[in-house]
Amino acid sequence: MLKLIDVQTCYGNIRSLKGVSLTVAEGEIVSLIGANGAGKTTTLMSISGIVAASSGQIIFNQQRIERTDPDKIVAAGISQVPEGRRIFPGMSVLENLEMGAFLREDSRKTREDMEYVFDLFPILNKRRHQAGGTLSGGEQQMLAISRALMARPKLLLLDEPSLGLSPLLTNQIFEMIKKINTEQHMTIFLVEQNAYMALKLSHRGYVMENGSIILEGKAAALLTDSNVKKAYLGI
Amino acid sequence: MNYFWDLFLGGITRGSIYALIALGYTMVYGILELINFAHGEIYMIGAFTALIAASLLTMQGLSGPAVLVLATVVAVLYAAAYGFTVEKIAYKPLRQAPRLSPLISAIGMSIFLQNYVMLAQTSDFLPFPNLLQNVELPAFLNTWIAPAEFMIILTAASLMLGLTLILKFTKMGKAMRAVAQDRTMAMLLGVNVNRIISRTFIVGSVLAAIGGVLIASHVGRINFYIGFGAGIKAFTAAVLGGIGSIPGAMLGGLVLGLTESFATGYISSDYENVFAFALLILILILKPEGILGRSSQQKV
């Protein structure tokens, strides 16, 4: 479904992605793990078209998208929940969700999807008229995921959904990610620093270091890999 | 009491024009963090276009409200085209440049447009037909308010109400607010940010052009330089109310208009600007973010 071939991305003179290649197949949860500054967020921002890849190919459903504008990429079916959630602070929960459905014209189905996310996260329904900026961290993460789902994407990109959340809330969010994957057959590409949680949830995983993929494989295999254990799992 | 009422109405009238222009400054600032110094010129171009259109229409034998409405429509279309083009030429190529560059480009655009109109028209004041005088008010209103003032206040109030509703309820309005709050996130949700920026300039230009037509037919004369003065005042109003805040621009305009009107009426017209800018300094000392402005700590 998604394929990156030797993608390089530069910020000014700094090359932050040094030839990244990876694939995500339909229905999978794939995680990209690695330390701070390894280039995980840049990978997602390159896929979403926010930062332009300087070379290489990004292919989504047989279409090259590395030169495509961000709004066209969303229209093609890729939604991202960025790092730090980026809820519109001055807009209500409802308006944030409506913004998620910005490109959709089918208002009846949009309303059904809103019911679905309210089912997933009932707390959002309770807070629907509250300003996004007044929600707690966990609620904001739920809203951010729901907002991305409102676009009815084919591929969901998640950047550090566990960031700043308590272990209990992290568990809850990850369970929901699993549920979205199985119930909606949503393909999910997940970026995480919390390698253990991410690999437990995923089918496959990639390990990133200094802008390159250094290891890939089945999530279960990575969990027992001695290098991964030492570097990322702290075992 | 009567004198007070007159000053009050004069202040509200003047203030609603300031507010209309200030909205253009504040909306552009909200989205691009840019002070569009060429915005006053759009107002001036709106007034000039209306003058030309009104003259042509009068020559065709039209009169009264028809001239007013048609001339305003032409002015609005023309000014919107100018606002759109100014953004594309002067600001869009500098989107990634350091913040000072678009600011200088804006000042350059302002000087260019002033001189362009001066060369194309004249540097003298031109008489502007009093299009608002022909309006007939019901008798009970007539004792309280002059037709021109009534029309200006009514038009400005309806436009501001309309803008508020658009921003609150339409898809485009929500997208504008979203882009102002977090541009990258709006892009991640599929908002075409360039289109939203263009539309913001168009909306601001429409408001400024209508302001230009209203005030020109109230004052009765225009020249190429009127945009500068009105622009500075409207910018002051926007800062006063809190730049980036829509209700702030409206409130700032009215406060500034009233201050000027009362200062002129009770002290001396020589001190009009002194009081206007003294008020600005006072507000900036007491509440630097403006009356309704938020302190800029949103971006963590």
Side-chain angles (χ1 to χ4, degrees):
Chain A
M1 177 173 242
L2 177 77
K3 198 177 180 112
L4 272 65
I5 305 170
D6 197 26
V7 172
Q8 305 204 14
T9 301
C10 303
Y11 280 121
N13 287 332
I14 304 155
R15 204 151 53 101
S16 52
L17 295 187
K18 302 166 186 166
V20 171
S21 300
L22 55 85
T23 57
V24 180
E26 197 163 348
E28 270 192 315
I29 302 181
V30 175
S31 56
L32 178 64
I33 60 174
N36 228 343
K40 305 187 300 292
T41 295
T42 309
T43 307
L44 289 193
M45 286 302 183
S46 303
I47 298 171
S48 285
I50 301 291
V51 293
S54 42
S55 72
Q57 299 182 9
I58 302 176
I59 300 161
F60 179 66
N61 283 341
Q62 280 82 48
Q63 301 266 343
R64 298 269 301 261
I65 57 164
E66 71 271 8
R67 294 274 169 276
T68 309
D69 289 332
D71 53 309
K72 306 262 161 46
I73 291 175
V74 178
I78 303 181
S79 285
Q80 188 188 149
V81 180
E83 189 177 0
R85 338 194 206 286
R86 303 183 87 144
I87 297 302
F88 299 115
M91 298 174 93
S92 70
V93 168
L94 216 51
E95 286 175 329
N96 268 282
L97 291 173
E98 284 167 0
M99 279 312 294
F102 182 73
L103 290 176
R104 292 179 62 179
E105 303 293 344
D106 49 343
S107 58
R108 216 196 61 217
K109 287 215 179 97
T110 307
R111 209 156 305 139
E112 280 174 24
D113 284 352
M114 202 172 284
E115 292 307 316
Y116 175 75
V117 300
F118 283 152
D119 263 3
L120 276 181
F121 305 111
I123 186 80
L124 293 181
N125 199 0
K126 245 183 249 168
R127 304 226 188 282
R128 59 202 294 167
H129 295 298
Q130 211 169 305
T134 63
L135 300 186
S136 73
E139 289 164 358
Q140 287 197 358
Q141 187 62 58
M142 295 174 199
L143 178 55
I145 293 174
S146 305
R147 183 176 58 183
L149 289 177
M150 287 304 293
R152 228 175 220 286
K154 301 186 179 90
L155 170 66
L156 183 63
L157 309 175
L158 294 170
D159 195 347
E160 302 268 6
S162 76
L163 189 78
L165 299 188
S166 70
L168 193 72
L169 267 171
T170 306
N171 265 328
Q172 204 185 332
I173 294 282
F174 273 61
E175 257 165 45
M176 285 304 161
I177 295 172
K178 185 93 208 166
K179 194 171 166 193
I180 293 162
N181 172 252
T182 46
E183 271 184 9
Q184 302 271 299
H185 309 290
M186 183 79 67
T187 313
I188 292 171
F189 185 47
L190 173 73
V191 155
E192 257 299 337
Q193 278 196 68
N194 189 336
Y196 180 73
M197 288 288 292
L199 289 174
K200 286 279 278 189
L201 179 77
S202 307
H203 302 107
R204 291 189 304 115
Y206 291 88
V207 182
M208 192 170 217
E209 213 168 78
N210 289 325
S212 312
I213 303 284
I214 56 160
L215 206 62
E216 60 173 284
K218 289 237 183 293
L222 288 177
L223 271 171
T224 53
D225 185 280
S226 59
N227 289 323
V228 175
K229 270 186 171 170
K230 221 176 11 207
Y232 301 104
L233 301 177
I235 306 172
Chain B
M1 182 60 199
N2 230 341
Y3 186 57
F4 175 87
W5 176 246
D6 285 346
L7 290 179
F8 177 77
L9 273 184
I12 296 284
T13 306
R14 185 194 280 244
S16 25
I17 300 292
Y18 289 155
L20 282 185
I21 310 172
L23 282 167
Y25 280 105
T26 219
M27 286 175 73
V28 165
Y29 184 86
I31 283 189
L32 287 178
E33 298 198 0
L34 162 76
I35 305 296
N36 176 16
F37 276 115
H39 188 57
E41 268 47 75
I42 300 293
Y43 153 94
M44 177 267 292
I45 286 171
F48 262 93
T49 314
L51 174 60
I52 295 166
S55 311
L56 290 174
L57 288 164
T58 311
M59 272 193 268
Q60 297 299 314
L62 285 170
S63 64
V67 175
L68 173 64
V69 171
L70 286 174
T72 309
V73 169
V74 176
V76 159
L77 293 175
Y78 217 71
Y82 265 93
F84 174 84
T85 313
V86 164
E87 192 269 328
K88 287 279 180 264
I89 294 176
Y91 308 137
K92 189 162 179 255
L94 297 171
R95 201 73 59 73
Q96 311 300 332
R99 286 182 60 168
L100 207 52
S101 312
L103 200 66
I104 292 167
S105 181
I107 294 170
M109 212 25 149
S110 163
I111 296 171
F112 169 78
L113 288 174
Q114 278 177 26
N115 285 278
Y116 156 70
V117 172
M118 185 185 75
L119 289 172
Q121 300 294 324
T122 168
S123 58
D124 297 329
F125 271 100
L126 293 173
F128 197 99
N130 196 329
L131 300 169
L132 296 171
Q133 208 111 71
N134 302 325
V135 181
E136 297 251 347
L137 289 185
F140 70 94
L141 274 176
N142 239 331
T143 51
W144 286 103
I145 187 167
E149 288 181 332
F150 178 77
M151 285 303 288
I152 290 177
I153 295 171
L154 182 71
T155 312
S158 333
L159 287 171
M160 287 189 259
L161 179 67
L163 179 70
T164 308
L165 294 177
I166 286 174
L167 287 173
K168 181 85 187 131
F169 294 114
T170 68
K171 207 163 190 183
M172 180 181 88
K174 284 174 195 166
M176 282 179 171
R177 282 190 287 148
V179 172
Q181 289 175 32
D182 187 337
R183 197 197 301 183
T184 306
M185 191 60 231
M187 288 164 90
L188 284 174
L189 296 174
V191 177
N192 183 332
V193 170
N194 283 330
R195 195 176 300 157
I196 293 297
I197 291 172
S198 286
R199 287 186 185 172
T200 305
F201 273 83
I202 289 174
V203 170
S205 303
V206 166
L207 296 177
I210 296 177
V213 178
L214 291 176
I215 202 73
S217 51
H218 188 43
V219 175
R221 55 180 207 158
I222 56 172
N223 78 345
F224 73 96
Y225 206 57
I226 56 166
F228 180 75
I232 290 284
K233 285 290 170 60
F235 173 57
T236 306
V239 174
L240 203 62
I243 189 115
S245 158
I246 302 278
M250 299 174 184
L251 184 66
L254 293 180
V255 170
L256 188 68
L258 286 172
T259 307
E260 283 186 2
S261 188
F262 284 122
T264 308
Y266 284 119
I267 300 160
S268 155
S269 59
D270 297 338
Y271 288 97
E272 176 187 306
N273 289 341
V274 175
F275 275 91
F277 294 114
L279 176 71
L280 176 69
I281 293 170
L282 196 70
I283 294 280
L284 287 181
I285 290 171
L286 296 175
K287 202 164 184 298
E289 68 273 20
I291 303 172
L292 296 180
R294 276 181 307 245
S295 48
S296 54
Q297 55 186 9
Q298 285 179 17
K299 280 166 191 159
V300 185

